Every structure is written in C-alpha cells, then in structure tokens.
Amino acid sequence: MPLKKSQLYSSIWSACDELRGGMDASQYKDYVLILLFVRYVSDKYKGKTDALVEVPKGGSFDDLVALKGKTNIGEGINKVLSKLAEANGLRGVIDVVDFNDEDKLGKGKEMQDRLSKLVAIFENPDLNFGKNKAEGDDLLGDAYEYLMKHFAVESGKSKGQFYTPAEVSRIIARVIDAKNAKDRTQTAYDPTCGSGSLLLKVADEAKPVDISIYGQEKENATAALAILNMWLHGEPEAVIKKGQSTLSNPLFLEKGNLKTFDYVVANPPFSYKAWRNGFDPENDLYSRFESFGIPPSKNGDYAFLLHIVKSLKSTGKGAVVLPHGVLFRGNAEATIRTSLVKRGYIKGVIGLPANLFYGTGIPACIVVIDKEKASERKGIFMIDASRGFVKDGNKNRLRERDIRKVIDIWESQSELDKFSHFASNEEIKKNGYNLNLPRYIDASEPEDMQDIEAHLKGGIPGHDIDSLGDYWEICPSLRKALFKNSVRKGYYEMAVPVEEVRQTVLENGEFLNFKNNVQGIFDGWRNSVTKYLNNLGKSTHPKAVIARLSDSLLDEFGKMEIIDKYDVFQHLMSYWEEVMQDDMHILTVDEWKAGSQVIRLQKGAKGKTKKVAGISGLEGRLIPVPLLVKTFLSKEQDKLDNLKSELEQVGSDLTSMREEHGVEEGMLESIVNEKGNITKSDLQRRIKEIQGDAEFADELEMLEEYSQLIEREADLKKEIKISERDLEKTVIARYSKLTDEKIKTIVIEKKWLDSLQERIIGETDRISQTLTGRIKILAKRYEEPLPTIANETEALTQKVEDHLVKMGFKF
C-alpha cells in the first residue's frame, strides 16, 4: 500500500539529511534534486516515443540502480547523467554536479556506501511518477517544494536565498492578477530568479492558461536548479539565463533595449552593496535610472526596483520583495520614491512579518507596481500584515489564514481597522512621500490603561467593561449577570465570585444561543458540501476541492459576530494539511475502495523488520483503525478496555500491598527480593511454611490474598491477549467487507466532517475563555484598593516590630 504524500516527503527528507554528513545543505540539495529529476523522467517517459524527455539507453534511473554497491558508482552516475543531459539539451544543468567528488562525498567505501544509499532512497516503489494522477495533484512538484524548503532552512542565513517562501510567492502571484493571463503570449519575468519558485507560482496562478516564463540568475548552480525546477513542474520551455548580474548585464534584450514583460516578480538580495559592479549607472545603456535618479552606491534596493519598472510593458504589473527601508529612507532613495509615486507606478504596499525569509531576519514588504492607467491612480493601497504569522522553528511563517486575509482585502481594496488603508495622493504628499506603513495604519495593540482612581478607591472602571462591547452585543444580559453597580458612578463590582465567571458565561442563555447559531451555520455548510464530497473520485482535483470547501466556509461564517471567519478558515486549512490532503491523494490513485485497505506496520531495528502485533500495529488507508472500531466494534473494544482497566487495578493493588507490607517487619518482608519484587515461587514457599500455624494466620491471609491477585493478573493477561487477537482478526475482516458507499459515509461524515465540527465549534470555547480571562484580570487588578493594601502593610509592619521588641530589639 503506497505511503501518504506527507509520509513520503518526510521519509525522503529524513533519509537524505541522514546521508548528508558534513556537507552543507545548500550543496547537498543539488545531488538530491538531480536524482529526483532522473527518477521522475524515467518513470514518466522511459520507453515512450515523441515524449517531452528522451530517456536514452544507459541514461535512466534503472542504470543508476544497477550501480549500487559498485566501487565506481560515482563515476558511473556521472556517465548516466551525461547521457541523459546530452539527449535533452541539458548540458550544464543535470550534469553540473560531480558525483565522483571525493572532497564532498568521501573516498572509497564511504562514497560507495553514501551514493548507494542515496540512490536507494529514490528507488522507493512508493515514489512512482508513472501512475496516472488527477490534474492538479502535483506529487512531484509538492515533493520538490518540500525538499527545497527544508534545504533552505538547513542552509543557514547566508545560503538560503535560493528559495522564496511559497506563502509569499502565492500572495505575489495573486496581487499581480496573473489569473487574468489570456494565452502563451503573456510573459512573466524574474530578474533574480533563484531556483525559480516565485516564477512557478505565477505560472500556477495563471492556469489553465500557459504563460511564457523568463528568468535570469547570477549563480550558475542556482540557475541550473531553476532550469531543473521548470522541467519538473512541466515548464520545459521556460527560458532561464545564467552567469551574469541582471543589473550589470541584463540578458533579455530586444533591439538593444530591455525586453519588456506582462508580469515581473522578484525577491532580490536585500540592500545589495555591490550592485554597481560591472557597469556605470550614470551611463546606463538601458536608461533605467533616467528621470528617477541613481540609487545609493552601497544599497541596490531601488536599482532592482527601477530595473523591474523598466522591464514592464505599458500595461504590465509587477511585485518585488524589498526591506522596509525602501518605504522611508531619505536622500537619493526619497527622490526615486517620490518620482515613482507621482507617476502612479506604485499600486500598493504590503508589509510582511519579520524573519520570514531564509537569507535574512529583517522585516520586508511587497511593493506592487502597475503601469496600467498609472496616470489616473488616486493613491496607494496599503496593508500591514506584519502581525499575522506563526513561529516555525527559528523562522516565522504565514499561516493559510494570513495569506487568505491579505488576498481577500487586496482584491476587495477594502479598509480594515489596524490592517489596511487607501492612502490618497494628497495624504502621501502631506507625509513627504514617506510610505512607512505606521504613518497610515496604526497596527499597534491598544495599551491596557491603569485606572488610578480605581486603584485608590476600588471598583472596575466602566470603560474597561465597555471595551468588551462585542461580547455584550450578542449577550447583553451577560454583562448584567457578571457586573453590578458600585457606589461610585462609572465603576462596577463583580456580581459573581471570580471563580464562577466561566460557568456564568457558559450557562448564559444568550451565549448558549450564540453557540447554537454557530452549530447551525456549520450544519448548513456541512449539508451543502456533503453531496459534493460524495462525488469525489479518481478525477478529483485536490486544489479545486479545498478551494470550494474554503470559499463556501468563509461565505457561511462571514457575517458571524465575534467569531473571526479567518480563524474558522484556519481550522479547515490545518485539517486539510494534516489529514484531508493525503486522503485526496489516495482518492486520485485508488478511489474510495482504498478505504477497505489495511496494512500491518513494520518496526525496524538494526537492519531487521518485525511485524507489530495487535490493532495498534494495523493502519487503515482511508479509515483509521480506531474509527472503524468505534463505528462497528465498540462492544468488543469496551470488553477489551474493561479487561485492561481491571488489570491496571490489580497491578495497583499488588503494588500497594508490596509498599505497605514489604517494609521492615511487614508481613511480606520475608519474601521481597533485592529488587523489591515478590516471585511466585517465593510466595508459594512461604505459604507452605506457615500453613496450619495459628501464629502466622494474619500473614497467611495476606499471602493468600496476594497470591489470588497474582493469579488474577495472569488470567487477565491471557484474556487480554486472546481478546486483542480476536479483535485484530475481526478488524481485518471488517475492512474487507466495507462497500464504497459505507466507506464514503465513514470517511466523509465520521472522519472529515465530525473532526471539522469539533474544531470549529471549539471556537466558542476559546471565545468564552478569552472573555473569562479578561474579566478575571480586571477583577484581580482592582480587587484591593491601594489604601487597603497600605493599611494591611502597616498592620503587618507593626506586628513584626512588636515581635522584634519582644525579642529584645529596639527601634
């Protein structure tokens, strides 16, 4: 039974990383990704005529497998790659890495073993790219993306710049409207393309339309990686040029001028100091700085931005990732920025969280350029998304909810407090063409004000309670249930003890109605998608599935008060990533019948594998074993659980008796061995010794009780073993009897939708906890007025002094 996609990727990464040894990840990735490419083209095109890739004799993955264990494996791999490269015009791409490099791969037996194991990783039969797959279920592309991300993480600060986080790339592809591309004549260009991931996200956004892709990359090895990336993603016609700096020697020209494109995207090196190397900006052959000004000699941010502007057609759209400094730095950069704004070229600015990128930890922004109708532009749309992220190891990462929120707000161009704002040209002019986002969007959290009067005289300030107005709007009676008027106007007292606040919230009728409304909305959405999910099958397009589910869920919860629809959306997207995405991949391969499949897990140790016994050693393909048991075999499971519970109790009783009576002069002391245990033989020997002797009647009773417990423990273990074996057989048999319709019901209703319901309805619990926590903070803060605290302190001080006087100390 094939592995799930997530298991497949993680197993490849773990194995590759283990074999890396002392080699830097930024170098090792080239070896791994080339082998991935050879496996892919061999699976997909070997033996086929008129195929996209010719797999010549001696140039396939099978030829690499044949080299395993041979002393000349490194040299042999180079020859295989050379044949494949020669047949497909890929010289300098797949043969750029030396698999016979002793400095990187070790000498003799070390190289032989390392390369043999590396080839074996990609020999995994689950990694089969030859099978038909559903459109959009990009097993290869996803595997490549997974590996690239992990190599970027491992490569360190100075060497991870070849990869732009997919989350940022997705936002860029949306904000430049790549989805509006019409045909292959539409062009996308990246002047600093790295491994090409950003360009591919643009191409993916344009689907089903195919666009023409162009990229330039200075580093030869990284450019080769980009070409490889294009082939692996079905874009072999992409034009990637290498070996030259885009600023000093742009390689895409038309009649001596820069070639222009419909879409330009880039994530250039931040604040690049050597940007002037190789050319004279004052006499630039391509007039990129003409009428704008020359960027600072030690900072190339605006040099790249102006190159992008010049490379856009008159209706072109672009987006570039730059450090925040480009928005507010002065002198030459201020002059360039002012000119860009006055011409209307800057359509928007999106502020991103710090520490997103692998090459730097500083915060960045996306500057969106749009030449179309630039002269008519009335201002710049700004988004501050700097607070929307989650920690992911030592980096920050945009969540699905963060990406979707940015895209939704951008496309609607709607203003949202503390998040987005349309800054008019007049407003920007008043700010001296400084585009620093805090000047236009106050994204700071409101300060939690301390009320001096309340600290002095007690009571909870009314303004603090009013600040919770969103809750009181849907639960007006709850405010009255929690607070009562104080003797002073504008201040309140707790109407219930602090420890009863949560219970008061949960039992409030209006809050219960709110929970019921959330449940009702979810039930409506559930009903609307159930029929759609039942029709999924081999032609399933996974990306279309999650798009439909997420769009409809956002629509349903869009008008719900208190609950943030993007929190609900994140629950769906997290569950998709954890469970449903793998399930969709399974459906595209084996359809619903995969739900009747169950396998025995294997446990490996020192090169050997051992089957794992019991139902814990079984894994269902689409239907988890615990879910199948819960659905059909609950009585059998209850019986087993009861036996295990009794066994646990017997064990506890034995331990208690040993601890209580096995001590010195205890009735069990004589038979407790050095390890603190009692063996059955010692127990029986002692019973025979004292049987019939009245002097030891109490001890005999204790020993016989202990013996009975031991017997019961042994019996229970036998019963459990038999029950587990019977349940295991029943489970395996039950899987084989499942019909497609029954599988659909279990997977859709009990696995997917029940799990999502639990997560989404759980949002109401989080809301009640948030409200409770805030009220408790306020109650505790003003619980004791300052004079009361001072009086108590004075009284305690006097008490201590009196004690000291009695002890002979004088003040």
Side-chain angles (χ1 to χ4, degrees):
M1 186 172 77
L3 290 173
K4 295 177 180 178
K5 289 174 76 172
S6 56
Q7 292 173 326
L8 178 61
Y9 303 155
S10 61
S11 65
I12 293 174
W13 168 254
S14 298
C16 291
D17 196 42
E18 183 179 340
L19 292 177
R20 175 157 61 94
M23 194 189 310
D24 188 275
S26 63
Q27 296 176 318
Y28 190 60
K29 73 179 186 303
D30 301 330
Y31 293 90
V32 171
L33 295 173
I34 286 172
L35 290 184
L36 178 66
F37 174 78
V38 178
R39 174 66 198 264
Y40 167 68
V41 297
S42 297
D43 283 351
K44 199 165 181 66
Y45 303 113
K46 185 179 179 183
K48 295 182 180 179
T49 57
D50 299 322
L52 177 66
V53 179
E54 180 188 346
V55 183
K57 185 178 180 179
S60 73
F61 187 77
D62 290 337
D63 296 300
L64 297 183
V65 173
L67 292 168
K68 286 194 309 178
K70 294 188 176 181
T71 55
N72 66 335
I73 184 173
E75 182 183 354
I77 291 176
N78 283 343
K79 289 180 179 178
V80 171
L81 296 177
S82 179
K83 289 182 179 180
L84 185 60
E86 185 68 34
N88 294 281
L90 289 173
R91 283 287 187 191
V93 178
I94 62 172
D95 58 352
V96 71
V97 176
D98 182 6
F99 278 80
N100 203 34
D101 189 333
E102 294 181 343
D103 292 335
K104 293 178 180 177
L105 297 167
K107 298 181 179 180
K109 190 71 165 58
E110 182 183 358
M111 177 189 287
Q112 180 183 341
D113 289 345
R114 177 177 285 181
L115 290 178
S116 295
K117 290 177 181 178
L118 190 57
V119 170
I121 292 171
F122 291 95
E123 194 182 2
N124 185 336
D126 293 324
L127 192 67
N128 189 337
F129 300 111
K131 290 184 178 180
N132 291 328
K133 63 182 179 61
E135 180 186 356
D137 181 28
D138 193 358
L139 178 65
L140 175 76
D142 291 347
Y144 186 91
E145 186 81 29
Y146 183 95
L147 291 171
M148 286 295 288
K149 176 182 176 182
H150 280 72
F151 280 127
V153 170
E154 293 294 317
S155 293
K157 184 174 179 180
S158 62
K159 298 177 182 177
Q161 296 177 353
F162 55 80
Y163 177 73
T164 299
E167 299 84 5
V168 176
S169 299
R170 285 166 56 194
I171 291 175
I172 288 175
R174 288 295 291 268
V175 301
I176 63 172
D177 294 330
K179 63 182 178 182
N180 293 330
K182 295 178 177 61
D183 51 43
R184 181 61 94 171
T185 63
Q186 305 265 248
T187 54
Y189 164 61
D190 185 341
T192 57
C193 71
S195 63
S197 57
L198 181 48
L199 275 172
L200 283 168
K201 283 293 184 291
V202 175
D204 188 51
E205 181 64 25
K207 298 297 182 187
V209 170
D210 289 325
I211 60 174
S212 297
I213 297 174
Y214 301 84
Q216 182 169 339
E217 169 55 40
K218 182 179 180 181
E219 300 294 332
N220 279 327
T222 304
L225 205 62
I227 296 170
L228 204 62
N229 201 358
M230 296 299 155
W231 279 68
L232 288 172
H233 283 81
E235 298 287 350
E237 295 181 7
V239 181
I240 305 296
K241 297 189 177 183
K242 58 183 179 179
Q244 300 287 343
S245 166
T246 298
L247 295 178
S248 63
N249 190 12
L251 299 176
F252 292 100
L253 305 173
E254 284 182 341
K255 298 178 180 179
N257 297 315
L258 291 182
K259 178 179 174 63
T260 55
F261 304 88
D262 297 289
Y263 306 105
V264 181
V265 293
N267 177 16
F270 287 2
S271 304
Y272 186 49
K273 289 182 169 55
W275 72 271
R276 296 170 65 106
N277 286 359
F279 81 118
D280 179 8
E282 284 80 3
N283 296 295
D284 180 43
L285 295 175
Y286 311 106
S287 306
R288 288 170 288 187
F289 313 112
E290 188 177 301
S291 75
F292 287 103
I294 307 297
S297 59
K298 298 296 183 181
N299 192 319
D301 293 330
Y302 271 100
F304 287 108
L305 181 53
L306 291 175
H307 175 85
I308 289 169
V309 170
K310 191 70 174 180
S311 299
L312 281 169
K313 293 180 179 179
S314 60
T315 57
K317 296 168 174 56
V320 56
V321 179
L322 293 170
H324 264 288
V326 300
L327 302 178
F328 56 80
R329 290 193 297 249
N331 301 319
E333 291 186 314
T335 301
I336 299 171
R337 183 172 59 246
T338 300
S339 181
L340 287 168
V341 173
K342 286 182 176 180
R343 296 183 190 208
Y345 286 163
I346 301 179
K347 182 178 181 179
V349 176
I350 301 171
L352 299 171
N355 202 29
L356 277 186
F357 298 90
Y358 298 103
T360 180
I362 66 174
C365 63
I366 299 171
V367 178
V368 184
I369 306 295
D370 189 351
K371 281 190 173 180
E372 188 173 18
K373 298 180 181 179
S375 61
E376 301 173 20
R377 188 151 287 125
K378 304 299 182 184
I380 296 174
F381 190 70
M382 299 179 174
I383 294 177
D384 186 345
S386 60
R387 294 182 299 160
F389 63 90
V390 66
K391 292 293 294 181
D392 187 4
N394 63 350
K395 305 299 292 182
N396 294 331
R397 175 173 55 82
L398 295 173
R399 298 162 294 183
E400 289 295 331
R401 59 155 296 155
D402 305 318
I403 300 167
R404 183 60 184 256
K405 185 177 181 180
V406 168
I407 290 171
D408 284 351
I409 295 298
W410 173 266
E411 292 184 344
S412 66
Q413 295 280 293
S414 55
E415 295 205 354
L416 185 64
D417 186 42
K418 297 187 176 297
F419 191 76
S420 61
H421 173 65
F422 180 78
S424 67
N425 289 333
E426 292 74 19
E427 186 179 3
I428 294 171
K429 184 178 180 181
K430 287 179 182 178
N431 279 289
Y433 295 94
N434 184 319
L435 300 181
N436 198 20
L437 293 177
R439 287 183 176 239
Y440 305 90
I441 304 171
D442 180 10
S444 62
E445 292 289 344
E447 187 178 352
D448 194 4
M449 303 296 291
Q450 300 284 335
D451 190 293
I452 302 300
E453 185 176 346
H455 278 300
L456 292 172
K457 299 180 180 180
I460 300 174
H463 64 80
D464 279 324
I465 298 173
D466 292 340
S467 68
L468 300 170
D470 288 345
Y471 297 97
W472 313 140
E473 277 190 32
I474 63 166
C475 302
S477 67
L478 183 57
R479 176 172 180 158
K480 296 177 182 178
L482 291 169
F483 304 102
K484 60 184 179 182
N485 291 330
S486 174
V487 293
R488 292 171 24 255
K489 186 177 180 181
Y491 292 86
Y492 297 83
E493 305 290 341
M494 291 300 301
V496 297
V498 172
E499 59 271 16
E500 295 180 15
V501 170
R502 180 83 192 283
Q503 197 63 30
T504 302
V505 173
L506 294 176
E507 293 177 355
N508 179 263
E510 290 160 344
F511 188 78
L512 290 173
N513 287 337
F514 165 70
K515 288 187 70 172
N516 290 335
N517 288 339
V518 174
Q519 180 69 62
I521 290 174
F522 179 82
D523 288 344
W525 176 77
R526 178 176 185 147
N527 292 335
S528 71
V529 300
T530 298
K531 183 177 179 181
Y532 169 70
L533 293 173
N534 268 282
N535 289 325
L536 298 179
K538 205 161 191 174
S539 61
T540 292
H541 188 322
K543 292 180 181 178
V545 174
I546 188 56
R548 175 161 178 171
L549 295 180
S550 59
D551 287 347
S552 59
L553 190 66
L554 281 168
D555 288 342
E556 291 288 345
F557 280 88
K559 296 179 181 178
M560 190 73 197
E561 295 175 316
I562 292 186
I563 283 187
D564 186 335
K565 66 179 181 180
Y566 293 107
D567 287 333
V568 176
F569 171 80
Q570 184 61 46
H571 285 303
L572 170 61
M573 299 308 294
S574 296
Y575 187 68
W576 173 266
E577 183 177 350
E578 296 163 15
V579 177
M580 288 187 72
Q581 183 173 229
D582 279 333
D583 289 350
M584 291 300 158
H585 170 61
I586 291 170
L587 287 175
T588 64
V589 177
D590 291 326
E591 297 187 288
W592 292 102
K593 65 177 180 288
S596 63
Q597 298 171 355
V598 62
I599 62 166
R600 171 83 61 196
L601 299 177
Q602 306 284 330
K603 185 177 182 180
K606 295 182 179 179
K608 298 180 180 179
T609 57
K610 178 182 178 182
K611 291 183 178 180
V612 184
I615 63 169
S616 61
L618 299 176
E619 182 177 292
R621 185 100 187 275
L622 267 179
I623 301 174
V625 172
L627 180 56
L628 180 122
V629 171
K630 180 182 178 182
T631 304
F632 298 108
L633 305 169
S634 57
K635 290 183 180 179
E636 291 86 342
Q637 184 66 56
D638 288 344
K639 176 186 174 183
L640 181 58
D641 290 342
N642 289 336
L643 289 173
K644 289 181 176 180
S645 179
E646 186 180 351
L647 178 63
E648 187 177 343
Q649 184 59 53
V650 169
S652 177
D653 292 343
L654 286 169
T655 300
S656 296
M657 291 178 71
R658 230 173 17 250
E659 290 177 349
E660 183 178 353
H661 301 286
V663 296
E664 189 174 350
E665 298 185 2
M667 286 185 283
L668 298 176
E669 178 198 5
S670 63
I671 55 173
V672 175
N673 61 28
E674 294 179 354
K675 295 181 179 180
N677 299 321
I678 297 174
T679 65
K680 190 174 181 179
S681 59
D682 288 341
L683 178 63
Q684 294 303 320
R685 177 183 51 77
R686 180 58 179 166
I687 288 175
K688 287 180 180 179
E689 286 177 359
I690 64 176
Q691 241 171 0
D693 192 331
E695 180 183 350
F696 297 100
D698 289 342
E699 182 182 345
L700 181 61
E701 182 180 355
M702 170 73 68
L703 293 175
E704 288 177 339
E705 181 184 353
Y706 196 90
S707 179
Q708 290 171 5
L709 286 173
I710 286 181
E711 292 295 334
R712 182 57 182 156
E713 184 179 49
D715 290 342
L716 284 168
K717 287 180 179 178
K718 290 178 183 177
E719 288 183 58
I720 288 171
K721 194 171 184 179
I722 293 170
S723 293
E724 285 181 332
R725 188 165 58 244
D726 291 344
L727 181 58
E728 180 183 358
K729 290 178 181 177
T730 307
V731 165
I732 294 172
R734 199 70 186 78
Y735 270 104
S736 65
K737 295 176 182 177
L738 291 174
T739 64
D740 283 5
E741 288 307 311
K742 182 58 71 174
I743 291 168
K744 286 182 181 182
T745 299
I746 296 172
V747 173
I748 295 171
E749 296 288 346
K750 296 183 178 296
K751 182 182 180 183
W752 295 345
L753 295 177
D754 280 359
S755 296
L756 284 170
Q757 174 174 298
E758 183 179 350
R759 294 182 182 213
I760 291 171
I761 302 305
E763 273 297 302
T764 59
D765 292 329
R766 187 184 64 80
I767 287 168
S768 69
Q769 290 170 351
T770 301
L771 176 59
T772 299
R774 178 58 180 168
I775 291 172
K776 285 184 175 181
I777 287 174
L778 294 174
K780 189 70 176 175
R781 177 180 295 170
Y782 301 112
E783 185 177 22
E784 289 188 284
L786 188 59
T788 302
I789 297 173
N791 290 337
E792 289 176 356
T793 303
E794 187 177 341
L796 289 171
T797 301
Q798 187 60 51
K799 195 172 183 179
V800 170
E801 289 179 353
D802 290 344
H803 279 299
L804 290 172
V805 169
K806 289 179 181 179
M807 294 169 65
F809 294 96
K810 294 183 179 181
F811 293 90

